[in-house]
Amino acid sequence: MNFFWILSGKQLKRYFIAVVALLFALGIYYADHQHIQVFLPFDTGPSAVYSVDTEKKEIALTFDISWGEERAGPILDVLEQKGVKKATFFLSSPWAESHPDIVKRIVDAGYEIGSHGHRHDNYSQYSDAQIRTQITKAHQILSKVTGKEPNLIRFPNGDFDKRVLRIANSLGYTTIQWDTDSLDWMNPGTQKIISRVLAKAHPGDIILMHASDSCKQTHEALPQIIDGLKSKGYKFVTVSELIAGAKTDTKAVE
């Protein structure tokens, strides 16, 4: 005996909606457990700051340092020579602890210091307890070396998930990313770094650069980047100054 299912259009629509909802739920579950970043506009949790929505021609130069001692000095020389008094350095705490003289120079110059964590790993792969340990250990070391308690953090490799954001937030930190990546870490050539930054820079931008020894061309590109941004009317500010009282471009992670 043969059986036939006869479905109306309304029934098919209900089944279709149910299947889509199930697939969406499974996707969120998978993303959550695999630490995949899922950006949802209705998320109300902590967010990472990528840039600031402003018409003011203000921009933040940021430099990450996690190892080496040869590149930071030349970069500081350029900033001093070009009269740039506002910039933000995200320091790895082991590096800061082993290079107190360079850190002192950064602090004495009046530049802002943020945390770049302790171990240079992807924190989204850590347990909650390990994430908290990495952030607090870096905080203790940086506070001791700089004499100031940082409240901005840029995670190693720019890696985070919702747990990392929420734990950082609970410890009083704002997570900072970037909108313009100079790609200096790829050492693509001085002119390519310059062209990329000047083409992408915009009001409220946070620009990512590095002062670790692996980035060999940053100090060579920096003078023309500064001159080019100045010629376009940009004012250099710290990240804290940029985000203070401004509408930020954030991407919440579910």
Side-chain angles (χ1 to χ4, degrees):
M1 179 179 295
N2 295 324
F3 293 90
F4 298 93
W5 289 95
I6 301 175
L7 299 175
S8 68
K10 290 184 178 180
Q11 288 175 312
L12 285 172
K13 184 177 181 180
R14 284 199 297 268
Y15 288 137
F16 177 78
I17 292 174
V19 170
V20 170
L22 177 61
L23 291 174
F24 181 79
L26 289 173
I28 293 297
Y29 177 85
Y30 178 80
D32 182 40
H33 286 264
Q34 297 298 319
H35 303 305
I36 298 174
Q37 295 180 17
V38 179
F39 299 104
L40 299 177
F42 50 81
D43 183 87
T44 57
S47 303
V49 177
Y50 289 74
S51 65
V52 167
D53 183 10
T54 180
E55 294 182 359
K56 294 180 180 179
K57 301 200 79 171
E58 296 181 338
I59 209 161
L61 299 178
T62 68
F63 301 87
D64 294 357
I65 310 180
S66 55
W67 75 281
E69 56 190 20
E70 296 181 2
R71 304 299 172 191
I75 286 174
L76 289 168
D77 290 342
V78 171
L79 293 175
E80 180 181 348
Q81 292 163 6
K82 292 296 182 179
V84 178
K85 300 184 181 299
K86 301 291 182 69
T88 301
F89 287 79
F90 291 93
L91 308 182
S92 166
S93 58
W95 180 88
E97 193 170 37
S98 60
H99 296 85
D101 291 344
I102 302 178
V103 175
K104 184 177 186 302
R105 183 179 174 186
I106 296 172
V107 173
D108 288 349
Y111 298 125
E112 180 175 47
I113 289 182
S115 174
H116 199 38
H118 188 65
R119 294 188 63 180
H120 202 279
D121 288 334
N122 291 337
Y123 288 7
S124 65
Q125 303 302 311
Y126 284 173
S127 68
D128 288 10
Q130 289 172 320
I131 295 168
R132 186 174 293 272
T133 295
Q134 292 299 310
I135 296 173
T136 55
K137 190 167 186 177
H139 184 88
Q140 292 167 358
I141 292 173
L142 291 173
S143 297
K144 180 180 179 181
V145 176
T146 67
K148 300 178 181 180
E149 294 190 25
N151 59 10
L152 303 178
I153 189 166
R154 175 177 287 157
F155 291 103
N157 305 315
D159 173 84
F160 58 84
D161 60 11
K162 67 177 184 180
R163 297 176 309 112
V164 176
L165 283 179
R166 289 172 181 167
I167 292 171
N169 185 71
S170 72
L171 294 172
Y173 275 94
T174 298
T175 300
I176 305 299
Q177 289 290 87
W178 57 86
D179 207 19
T180 293
D181 184 349
S182 68
L183 296 183
D184 61 348
W185 52 276
M186 296 179 67
N187 294 306
T190 301
Q191 194 55 51
K192 287 187 177 180
I193 296 172
I194 295 167
S195 299
R196 179 179 177 84
V197 172
L198 294 183
K200 291 181 172 292
H202 59 84
D205 198 3
I206 296 174
I207 299 175
L208 171 66
M209 289 182 283
H210 298 78
S212 292
D213 282 5
S214 56
C215 302
K216 305 178 185 300
Q217 298 159 346
T218 309
H219 68 290
E220 297 173 347
L222 192 56
Q224 290 188 55
I225 288 175
I226 292 171
D227 288 345
L229 292 173
K230 282 183 176 180
S231 70
K232 293 184 178 184
Y234 284 104
K235 174 186 177 183
F236 300 106
V237 297
T238 65
V239 170
S240 290
E241 289 173 334
L242 190 67
I243 64 178
K247 179 180 179 182
T248 54
D249 178 9
T250 62
K251 297 176 183 176
V253 178
E254 176 60 28

